[in-house]
Amino acid sequence: MSDLTDPRELVGALVTELPEWLPTQRWFAGKDRPITGVRPLSTTVLMAGDPLLLHLVVEVKQDDRREPYQLLIGSQAHLPEYLGSNWIGTEKGLPCYEATGDADLTSKLLDLIAGDARIGSLRFEREPGAELRGGLRARPVGAEQSNTSLVFGHHYILKLFRKLTPGENPDLRLHRALHDVGSKHIADLLGSITGELDGEPVTIGMLQKFVSDAVDGWAMATTSVRDLMADPELPPDEVGGDFAGEAQRLGQAVASVHSDLRRALGDEIADEVEFDRTVKAMRDRLDTVSRAVPQLAEHAPALRAAFEKLREAHGPVSMQYIHGDLHLGQVLRCVTGWLLIDFEGEPAAPAAERVALRSPLRDVAGMLRSFDYAAHQMLIGHDEDDPRLTERALEWARRNRSAFCDGYAKAAPETVGDPRAHGDLLRAFELDKAVYEVAYEHANRPEWLTVPLASIARITAGGEQP
Ligand SMILES: Nc1ncnc2c1ncn2[C@@H]1O[C@H](COP(=O)(O)OP(=O)(O)O)[C@@H](O)[C@H]1O
Ligand SMILES: [Mg+2]
């Protein structure tokens, strides 16, 4: 490209394409309403010339909502065909594209971190003591949802946070804290990228060791469910692929991370204000979702009663930093054991809530919900009313939920102990999570709506104990 093209002019033209392009991206969180404007907040040239690599932060306006997003833009005079699917628009005669899929350009990001570079307001940094080798090509991870992660060779994984929130991202903050106390259940933290937003530092990237021998918990659990369904006559502990041993080790790993987080960052006892806030948040969510999903409304009285029970918790309830969005897709099994990933919190929750001190039982509840999901997803598209299959699914869920709690109790923070000793709390957290799932399924996968709704019916009828 001509060096005379001013990147700011290019960006000025490009942002007019973004209201149409952004909603086509999986990570774009604002699909619920139309975009009314996009304006650039900062543009940083990472590679000048042809090809050009720009780091761009834009503000996306949707009526009164304004949210910053991060983009990586490539531009070159002759766009190779394989990059065509990432094309955003042709501006000033130059094809511009989403560059996270361009290995020739993204290798630059690793080199910048390895070199502790500063470009404009961007700070690329290695973690203290981390040795990095540069010159590696990257491919984007296929499974990402809220963000975009790039894998460099078999060595590193760089997560680029898409929606930005001023300050240190909880994912980075909690990984650093866990690293400092020597947690065995996280992938090594190796570096970060920090930018600037509203005059404050903002985390835009996090580099970790790529665990190349890892399988995610969801894949392992659903394989086990399939084995059980295939052999409906065999007792669960005789079926190939029984998951209970893994579920127990996973419970222990989660408990150990909670204990480490408490050791690293402390805890506090929840007071009445905290309970009021929590119950109110649960009721508000229930009201909002009930308006959108009529099938939920019939459970509303029982749900409200379960949320109120929180206030009757016996004994002090300890609040501390937790994972915040724990499910089987956020844990990896590698040769040395289970790892927890993605400490950013629930994607739809407001940032203030995501970094709040919360009960570790919330994470336990998240994982219990996930066991339920793993068991019941197998019934979708099959004969959902086949009582034998349904009983098999319930059996799998009961067995693994209970194994998970056994494992958790072994390494739990002393403030928590066995999660089953906090039945009312755990039930309220599980139901709150299920209400969130109802909203999610309603918006994204209506055929899955029966999974959280059936759980809500079972739990509120008293038929489901962890
Ligand atoms: N350290 C790692 N080693 C191997 N794979 C990883 C690692 N971290 C993340 N992944 C893979 O990348 C996917 C997305 O990572 P995650 O941190 O959950 O990002 P997101 O915020 O987009 O959900 C994970 O589901 C997992 O498959
Ligand atoms: Mg994730």
Side-chain angles (χ1 to χ4, degrees), residues 366-445:
M367 201 51 100
L368 295 182
R369 290 294 315 127
S370 201
F371 282 119
D372 234 34
Y373 254 75
H376 288 95
Q377 49 81 38
M378 206 59 81
L379 302 177
I380 292 166
H382 286 85
D383 182 1
E384 285 167 44
D385 297 326
D386 180 340
R388 228 174 31 143
L389 283 185
T390 307
E391 184 42 45
R392 219 47 184 157
L394 287 170
E395 189 181 14
W396 188 94
R398 275 196 300 270
R399 178 174 171 77
N400 288 288
R401 287 162 61 99
S402 135
F404 178 84
C405 288
D406 290 344
Y408 190 92
K410 282 192 184 171
E414 66 203 35
T415 44
V416 182
D418 191 322
R420 289 160 293 200
H422 310 270
D424 286 346
L425 268 173
L426 198 52
R427 207 165 300 123
F429 286 136
E430 241 200 287
L431 287 169
D432 179 50
K433 190 85 198 171
V435 170
Y436 165 81
E437 291 159 6
V438 167
Y440 179 86
E441 303 302 5
H442 176 72
N444 298 290
R445 302 183 294 194

Side-chain angles (χ1 to χ4, degrees), residues 224-248:
S224 157
V225 176
R226 192 176 308 120
D227 285 355
L228 189 68
M229 299 282 186
D231 258 327
E233 306 305 333
L234 276 182
D237 56 346
E238 286 176 27
V239 172
D242 180 32
F243 192 69
E246 288 298 348
Q248 183 174 352

Side-chain angles (χ1 to χ4, degrees), residues 15-20 22 28 33-40 58-67 69:
V15 290
T16 63
E17 314 277 359
L18 295 180
E20 256 187 68
L22 282 168
F28 181 62
R33 33 185 134 155
I35 296 176
T36 46
V38 178
R39 79 182 169 100
V58 294
E59 181 186 71
V60 178
K61 193 167 163 245
Q62 298 180 286
D63 301 324
D64 56 345
R65 184 166 73 194
R66 283 151 207 266
E67 287 173 331
Y69 282 87

Side-chain angles (χ1 to χ4, degrees), residues 346-359:
E346 203 176 274
E353 193 180 306
R354 278 194 273 151
V355 296
L357 288 170
R358 284 172 304 161
S359 164

Side-chain angles (χ1 to χ4, degrees), residues 114-236:
D116 290 316
R118 265 171 185 263
I119 306 184
S121 60
L122 295 185
R123 235 169 47 225
F124 299 82
E125 283 168 301
R126 283 174 303 150
E127 288 299 297
E131 299 271 338
L132 296 179
R133 57 179 271 210
L136 294 173
R137 290 167 67 80
R139 62 177 166 84
V141 166
E144 90 269 23
Q145 294 191 330
S146 1
N147 297 296
T148 299
S149 296
L150 302 172
V151 177
F152 291 88
H154 293 294
H155 299 272
Y156 313 120
I157 179 162
L158 173 66
K159 167 142 73 166
L160 296 171
F161 297 100
R162 287 301 191 163
K163 191 161 97 178
L164 301 178
T165 312
E168 190 177 24
N169 190 295
D171 207 1
L172 183 61
R173 168 142 199 239
L174 298 192
H175 268 104
R176 276 198 178 130
L178 287 165
H179 175 86
D180 288 347
V181 295
S183 171
K184 288 196 220 37
H185 299 287
I186 51 165
D188 277 351
L189 180 63
L190 299 171
S192 63
I193 311 175
T194 309
E196 218 177 86
L197 196 63
D198 302 333
E200 254 196 81
V202 56
T203 309
I204 63 170
M206 180 173 84
L207 186 76
Q208 287 183 283
K209 180 178 155 49
F210 178 67
V211 186
S212 55
D213 60 7
V215 183
D216 82 76
W218 177 255
M220 282 181 76
T222 48
T223 305
S224 157
V225 176
R226 192 176 308 120
D227 285 355
L228 189 68
M229 299 282 186
D231 258 327
E233 306 305 333
L234 276 182

